[in-house]
């Protein structure tokens, strides 16, 4: 079956460990290229649990990266304090940021401890100030939920339709929780977007995407950037 173009670059790995290894290698290569070309690497980290193994690999001493030239942001964040178990910042800090010499000022977290709308406004200001003149990420890392959501762009939420703001607060009814998420225009403006999808629970959503169903993850189609899906066999 002809895959819709958002599967233009689908790579399948035997297991989650191989996926994490490949993802870390790609991220390092993209970072080195961005630093060589533009002097720095701006990446939005994915939330959830899938990317943890990739972050742990990036946090190893042998990772050859000039962390002083790396700026990290988040694709989305739960509206909780940074030390909360659900915090996407905390996941990345434990697995990666606390293990590498990245300057504190290069870590642009969503202030999940603030009221949602304030957190979103502060994050929009941070994105505007820190992303540079063209406002483009070098890389946006994304996961996908079993309902086809990505970042915190959940099916049926207004955040999916936002085109005039870089980040918004969104109440996710099915989770009874507030999130702050990048919006599609910012994601689709990225130079590179990398989906990391692992586990059998994701297979139905991938099949729905293949079938052409309009799910948020399928709306990620970089305007002038490269899209890649790294998927393990369990999810495929
Ligand atoms: C989040 C994520 C979300 C996540 C998917 C997959 O904050 O939860 O940004 O979009 O990537 O829900 O989550 P898992 O990797 O935990 O399956």
């Amino acid at each position: 079956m002809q895959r819709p173009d958002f599967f233009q670059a689908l790579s399948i790995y035997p297991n989650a460990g191989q996926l994490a290894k490949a993802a870390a290698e790609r991220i390092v290569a993209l970072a080195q290229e961005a630093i060589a070309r533009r002097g720095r690497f701006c990446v939005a980290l994915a939330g959830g649990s899938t990317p943890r193994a990739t972050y742990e690999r990036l946090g190893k001493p042998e990772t050859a990266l000039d962390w002083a030239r790396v700026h990290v942001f988040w694709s989305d964040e739960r509206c909780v304090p940074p030390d909360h178990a659900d915090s996407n910042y905390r996941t990345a800090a434990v697995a990666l940021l606390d293990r590498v010499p990245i300057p504190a000022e290069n870590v642009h977290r969503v202030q999940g401890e603030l009221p949602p709308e304030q957190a979103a406004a502060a994050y929009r200001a941070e994105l505007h100030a820190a992303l540079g003149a063209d406002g483009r990420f070098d890389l946006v890392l994304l996961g996908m939920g079993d309902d086809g959501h990505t970042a915190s762009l959940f099916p049926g939420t207004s955040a999916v339709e936002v085109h005039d703001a870089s980040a918004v607060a969104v109440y996710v009814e099915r989770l009874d929780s507030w999130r702050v998420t990048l919006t599609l225009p910012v994601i689709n403006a990225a130079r590179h977007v990398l989906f990391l999808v692992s586990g059998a629970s994701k297979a139905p959503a991938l099949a729905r995407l293949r079938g052409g169903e309009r799910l948020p993850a399928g709306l990620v189609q970089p305007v002038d950037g490269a899209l890649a899906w790294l998927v393990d066999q369990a999810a495929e």
Side-chain angles (χ1 to χ4, degrees), residues 118-202:
Q118 281 184 40
Y123 195 47
R124 286 193 295 270
E126 184 87 7
L127 289 165
H128 181 72
L131 259 190
D134 66 3
R136 296 179 71 186
F137 279 105
D138 295 301
L139 172 62
V140 173
L141 286 175
L142 293 171
M144 183 187 68
D146 56 12
D147 60 355
H149 79 262
T150 190
S152 285
L153 302 171
F154 285 77
T157 61
S158 55
V160 176
E161 309 305 332
V162 170
H163 293 281
D164 58 356
S166 56
V168 292
V170 54
Y171 177 71
V172 184
E173 199 153 345
R174 63 168 276 201
L175 301 174
D176 186 22
S177 68
W178 280 91
R179 302 278 189 94
V180 171
T181 184
L182 291 182
T183 56
L184 283 168
V186 171
I187 295 170
N188 285 332
R191 291 184 176 86
H192 295 270
V193 177
L194 205 50
F195 274 96
L196 309 181
V197 181
S198 171
S201 67
K202 310 298 172 73

